[in-house]
Every structure is written in structure tokens, then in C-alpha cells.
Amino acid sequence: MSSFSTLNADLHCHSVVSDGTLTPEALAERAKANGVNLWALTDHDELGGQQRAKAAASALNIDYLSGVEISVTWMGQTIHIVGLGINADHSGIIEGLRRTREGRASRAKFMAEQLLKVGIPGAYEGALHYAGNHDLISRTHFARYLVEQGICKDTEHVFKNYLVEDKPGYVPHMWAKLDDAVSWIKAAGGVAVIAHPGRYNFNAMQMDELYKHFKDIGGLGIEVITGSHSPDQYKTYGQIAQQYGFLASRGSDFHDPDESHIDLGALPHLPDHLTPVWSVFH
Ligand code: AMP
Ligand code: MN
Ligand code: MN
Ligand code: MN
């Protein structure tokens, strides 16, 4: 496996096993068609797609890293931690993720109750209809239902007006602890990476504390080039990677051909001066 920053690595995307709309096999085909040569499927809180993704990648001659994106609550906010190169059969991470998923069904019922109060009925059943995996009902599935009902024109519009803090359908939730998520990933032989740091609403001091604490507990990487960052943020988080000594990751966060504005593998390369996270998987 090449360690060059020009490798077309896409180390963040979702399948029907979480809140994506394509199967692991269809994602592998799409990755191949788009010239991806190192791929990781990183479903939310769930490893159920890993075997299929790995087998499909292997059949298409794409190098594969087993992956996951873990929902974490840190300082009262939700952040996401990606695990790469994990052993997807490791009992510790399987059990940790099972517990992380547990509250989703009751949260979804609360969300539906909140939506009913603003005149939107049937949201629980409607969202469930979009969930390929009923253990993993997520806000994305509600967003698709609100679009289907003509309440919003697209999912982006949903996440501006519903399902987020101070808007109808928002239900606060306690996810995994940061230290636990990182320790599950490490115990399963993987590398922990802070997903899309540009998306969090922390101030500079809190972000500094996050980077330092994450590093202290053995976190190694941050996403620099991601579908969630603007070109300005590519620069900002490239500098953060250098400043804190993090490995740099690259991933589209692809969910669906219509919803996602960045396709699998269709991202700028990592800047040359950064050390790619895949350099540790020689
Ligand atoms: P959940 O884990 O149920 O809270 O759902 C989180 C998912 O909602 C994320 O993984 C995204 O797929 C989606 N999401 C959250 N915020 C946005 C946003 N602003 N625009 C589009 N999708 C979003
Ligand atoms: Mn998602
Ligand atoms: Mn995420
Ligand atoms: Mn994601």
C-alpha cells in the first residue's frame, strides 16, 4: 500500500447499515468507478456492514480498512470519532457499540412526539421505513421522511429548521464517552480519528482541550479533507494536524448520490506536508 498523499483514500462513508442509502456492495462498486484505491466503510455505531464491504472491496481489488464512526458526548455536545483498521470481530468494541445504539429507539419516539406537537404526524413509522437497520434509526431517516412529506425541500433544509437544538424534533441524547470510544478502537487494534472537527460548536479553548485530551488518551488523527469542510477549513485543520502532531485523514462522508454533495473519492488530495493516517497501515 502506498503512503503517498496522492493515494485516492476515502476513509469515511455510510451504507444502509446506518444512515446511507447504498448497500456495502454498491458503495464498493461506486468507489471502484471513482478510482478509490483505499476505502473504509464507517457506519455510525455499527459494524454489521464490515464483512460485506471488505469482501466487495477485495473482489474489486481495492485496499480496505475496517471502520466505524462512533457517536460521543463530550462537554455536553455530540462529536464523532472514526475508528480505522479495527478488528471488526473484537468483542469489546462490538459490546460498546451495542450499548451506544441502545437509546436510539426511545429517542426516535420522543422525536416523533415533538414533531407531532408542531403538526407532523407519523414521523416514527415514516423514519423507520427509511432505516435499513432498525437498531440504527437516526435523524437522517427523519430528515428523509420530512422531505417525502413535502415539509422541507431537501435534507439540508431539514437540518436547518428541524431536529437540531432549539428546533422542533430535537431530543438531547447521551452517547458514548470519549475515553470509552477511543479505548474500544485501540483495543480492537485500530486508530482513532476526530471526524469533521470543523463541524463542532466549541470555542477555541474547548477545541484545544479536545485535541490535547484526545492525544493524551491515544487518539492519533483528525479529518482534514472531508465532505463536511470548506476549502478554508482544509487549511485550518491541516494546520491543526501539524500543530498537535496528528495524522491527517481524508473521507467524503458520502451517504447518498442525491443528498451528498461530495461523491466517494471525489475530494482534493491531502496536502503534501501532512502525514496521512494510512501511513500507519503499511
Ligand atoms: P444522529 O446520529 O441520529 O444524531 O444523526 C446524525 C446524522 O445526521 C449525521 O451522521 C448526518 O448524516 C446527519 N446530519 C446531521 N447534521 C446534518 C446537517 N447539518 N446536514 C446534513 N446531514 C446532517
Ligand atoms: Mn450520517
Ligand atoms: Mn459524522
Ligand atoms: Mn459520517
Side-chain angles (χ1 to χ4, degrees):
M1 199 182 289
S2 163
S3 70
F4 296 119
S5 28
T6 51
L7 189 75
N8 192 347
D10 193 323
L11 304 179
H12 189 150
C13 70
H14 300 273
S15 77
V16 288
V17 171
S18 61
D19 60 349
T21 59
L22 302 185
T23 61
E25 291 79 9
L27 284 169
E29 295 278 354
R30 198 174 182 96
K32 184 72 184 178
N34 290 354
V36 171
N37 31 38
L38 176 64
W39 177 47
L41 171 66
T42 54
D43 277 313
H44 297 285
D45 307 323
E46 172 65 86
L47 297 170
Q50 292 305 309
Q51 271 191 1
R52 290 169 62 185
K54 191 177 180 175
S58 157
L60 294 166
N61 247 320
I62 305 172
D63 283 320
Y64 187 75
L65 293 173
S66 294
V68 67
E69 181 176 20
I70 306 181
S71 310
V72 162
T73 302
W74 189 76
M75 305 233 305
Q77 287 194 42
T78 299
I79 65 169
H80 287 168
I81 301 296
V82 164
L84 297 172
I86 52 174
N87 167 9
D89 298 319
H90 191 272
S91 58
I93 192 163
I94 290 172
E95 175 57 17
L97 294 176
R98 190 191 60 72
R99 276 185 276 124
T100 305
R101 287 193 300 269
E102 248 171 19
R104 278 191 182 267
S106 54
R107 170 193 187 229
K109 284 176 188 152
F110 278 127
M111 286 168 65
E113 282 172 23
Q114 299 306 313
L115 290 170
L116 184 59
K117 284 185 189 154
V118 296
I120 303 170
Y124 179 73
E125 294 73 19
L128 204 58
H129 170 78
Y130 285 99
N133 170 4
H134 286 190
D135 275 358
L136 215 112
I137 184 163
S138 87
R139 284 185 293 157
T140 315
H141 303 120
F142 280 85
R144 291 184 186 135
Y145 174 72
L146 296 191
V147 174
E148 174 204 290
Q149 293 299 301
I151 292 154
C152 296
K153 66 176 195 300
D154 55 30
T155 53
E156 204 167 316
H157 193 249
V158 176
F159 283 105
K160 286 204 176 85
N161 299 286
Y162 296 89
L163 316 181
V164 292
E165 216 167 331
D166 301 324
K167 303 284 178 186
Y170 177 71
V171 174
H173 194 72
M174 282 292 276
W175 301 107
K177 293 190 172 78
L178 178 60
D179 293 36
D180 289 344
V182 172
S183 80
W184 301 333
I185 292 167
K186 287 193 334 186
V191 168
V193 174
I194 298 175
H196 41 64
R199 259 173 57 177
Y200 307 134
N201 291 322
F202 294 120
N203 63 34
M205 255 174 60
Q206 292 169 315
M207 287 305 289
D208 175 67
E209 196 175 330
L210 172 62
Y211 299 135
K212 285 182 175 152
H213 182 70
F214 182 66
K215 211 158 179 186
D216 276 350
I217 59 177
L220 292 182
I222 64 167
E223 288 185 342
V224 173
I225 306 291
T226 139
S228 298
H229 284 172
S230 65
D232 271 355
Q233 289 176 319
Y234 299 158
K235 278 209 195 100
T236 305
Y237 294 98
Q239 281 163 4
I240 294 285
Q242 279 199 299
Q243 183 187 335
Y244 290 86
F246 284 127
L247 301 168
S249 194
R250 174 182 191 261
S252 56
D253 208 354
F254 180 80
H255 285 71
D256 170 81
D258 295 323
E259 284 169 21
S260 303
H261 48 269
I262 304 244
D263 205 343
L264 274 173
L267 295 149
H269 288 300
L270 278 183
D272 274 343
H273 59 276
L274 302 179
T275 309
V277 68
W278 50 90
S279 65
V280 304
F281 296 108
H282 263 195

